Amino acid sequence: MKMHAAVVTSFDEAPHYLPFEVPEVGEGQVLLDVLAVGLHPRVRTGATGQHYTSSGTLPMIPGVDGVGRRPDGTAVYFVTDDDVIGTMAEKAVVDARRMIALPAGADVAKVAAAMNPAMSSWVALRRRVPIQPGQSVLILGATGNAGTMAAQVAKRLGAGRVVAAGRNTERLVAVPADAHVALGDGPDALAAAAAEVDIVLDYLWGKPAEAAIVALLTARSDRSRQLDWIQIGSMAGPTIELPSVALRSANFRLQGNGQGAVSPRAYLAELPALIDEIDAGSIAVTPRTVPLADVERVWNEPDVPGERLVLTPAGTGSISESAL
């Protein structure tokens, strides 16, 4: 049986809208009708074969999550761990343990748009370094959609102060934070605003993180007070040069948040509460829905602040669970 899907035939090209064999359903799996899939930066990276989970196998269907409909009509949010047969297709075969039923009336496009970018900070502040009420958070790379959502998530989880730092000054002022720092102003400006934070959510890595770590630790009034640095993304580069003295002269803990750093079971345990927050509007994002058939045309369109492209295999646009 055939379905239509976004199919990557070369890591140097955008996916093409092509017929593809419907995957076989194994034990404990469910065949879903896919309703909406977010076009996340993580998905683009996977489609180039450059993500650390990539097996390099072609052809492949990109997509790591989505909203679908079970055979009984229930709308669910689901994730997949298959880097070859992803979610940007009319149908997806999913482990029954990797799906969560949506609340009645949930906007499936909004859930598809928000879950992946919001999940990084939500899991980081709930599982990697559980935030304590009143603690302060620096978001390094706050002008991307995930970083902007991280400001909302941090506040929702009890942060007393949120500092947003980013390279795009126009986007930066729109981030819902207590203080804003343009990274172009240099590490001293960042240290002046954020030297006393408790937690850093780092979506950049590379040179910005390299400079920020040294600047913050040097300016900290009490270097023995713990600073937790959670590495999430690498938009500014895959590596840094870290002086050993940074680890010896301060109470500095560096760890990552991603696939492998947190177990699938722990991730899944966090999904229902995050879905409720998104459904209630506590974590805002605007989905821009386009038919899956247009995937090649929209694939390389730049992200718009506060907006996420969502592909709809049926071309139905924004729909709610209650309409299913």
Side-chain angles (χ1 to χ4, degrees):
M1 184 169 66
K2 295 279 190 178
M3 63 181 179
H4 277 93
V7 182
V8 177
T9 57
S10 167
F11 289 132
D12 298 323
E13 299 176 0
H16 306 286
Y17 186 67
L18 297 171
F20 201 90
E21 288 289 337
V22 175
E24 295 184 5
V25 181
E27 185 177 354
Q29 295 180 321
V30 178
L31 181 65
L32 302 178
D33 291 322
V34 179
L35 302 175
V37 179
L39 179 48
H40 315 302
R42 157 70 180 87
V43 174
R44 288 189 174 101
T45 303
T48 65
Q50 296 177 358
H51 194 263
Y52 63 87
T53 62
S54 177
S55 66
T57 302
L58 290 176
M60 64 165 288
I61 298 173
V64 295
D65 69 344
V67 176
R69 180 172 54 216
R70 293 172 57 104
D72 64 4
T74 303
V76 296
Y77 171 76
F78 66 94
V79 295
T80 178
D81 62 351
D82 192 330
D83 82 304
V84 178
I85 308 298
T87 60
M88 289 186 172
E90 292 176 321
K91 296 182 181 293
V93 172
V94 182
D95 188 323
R97 297 168 297 182
R98 291 176 171 262
M99 59 184 72
I100 306 293
L102 296 186
D107 185 322
V108 301
K110 185 168 72 172
V111 172
M115 281 294 287
N116 179 272
M119 195 182 303
S120 61
S121 54
W122 182 271
V123 173
L125 294 176
R126 299 253 297 187
R127 292 282 174 166
R128 296 303 279 157
V129 180
I131 189 171
Q132 302 303 310
Q135 284 189 313
S136 54
V137 178
L138 166 63
I139 301 165
L140 195 65
T143 54
N145 277 326
T148 299
M149 285 188 196
Q152 302 175 56
V153 167
K155 281 291 189 180
R156 190 65 181 167
L157 294 179
R161 182 171 183 263
V162 174
V163 180
R167 297 175 290 182
N168 187 320
T169 54
E170 292 183 5
R171 293 189 183 189
L172 185 61
V173 294
V175 178
D178 301 295
H180 302 80
V181 182
L183 290 175
D185 292 342
D188 289 344
L190 180 63
E196 304 303 332
V197 298
D198 299 293
I199 301 170
V200 178
L201 301 180
D202 174 16
Y203 289 91
L204 295 181
W205 206 232
K207 292 299 183 182
E210 187 176 298
I213 290 172
V214 174
L216 264 60
L217 294 179
T218 302
R220 208 161 172 79
S221 60
D222 179 4
R223 295 190 188 183
S224 67
R225 187 165 65 85
Q226 186 168 300
L227 174 62
D228 283 293
W229 191 287
I230 309 176
Q231 209 295 305
I232 300 174
S234 53
M235 297 299 292
T239 62
I240 69 168
E241 196 170 286
L242 181 63
S244 60
V245 69
L247 299 173
R248 298 197 309 268
S249 65
N251 188 356
F252 177 58
R253 296 202 314 173
L254 174 62
Q255 58 186 302
N257 184 59
Q259 291 172 259
V262 179
S263 72
R265 178 175 294 182
Y267 263 109
L268 289 166
E270 294 297 335
L271 297 187
L274 180 54
I275 288 171
D276 288 343
E277 294 288 344
I278 293 169
D279 186 52
S282 304
I283 302 170
V285 66
T286 300
R288 179 164 76 88
T289 55
V290 296
L292 180 62
D294 292 340
V295 61
E296 188 172 354
R297 176 178 63 82
V298 303
W299 185 260
N300 290 315
E301 287 187 5
D303 285 336
V304 175
E307 183 179 282
R308 177 54 52 94
L309 272 168
V310 174
L311 300 173
T312 55
T316 53
S318 181
I319 53 178
S320 65
E321 188 275 336
S322 60
L324 300 178

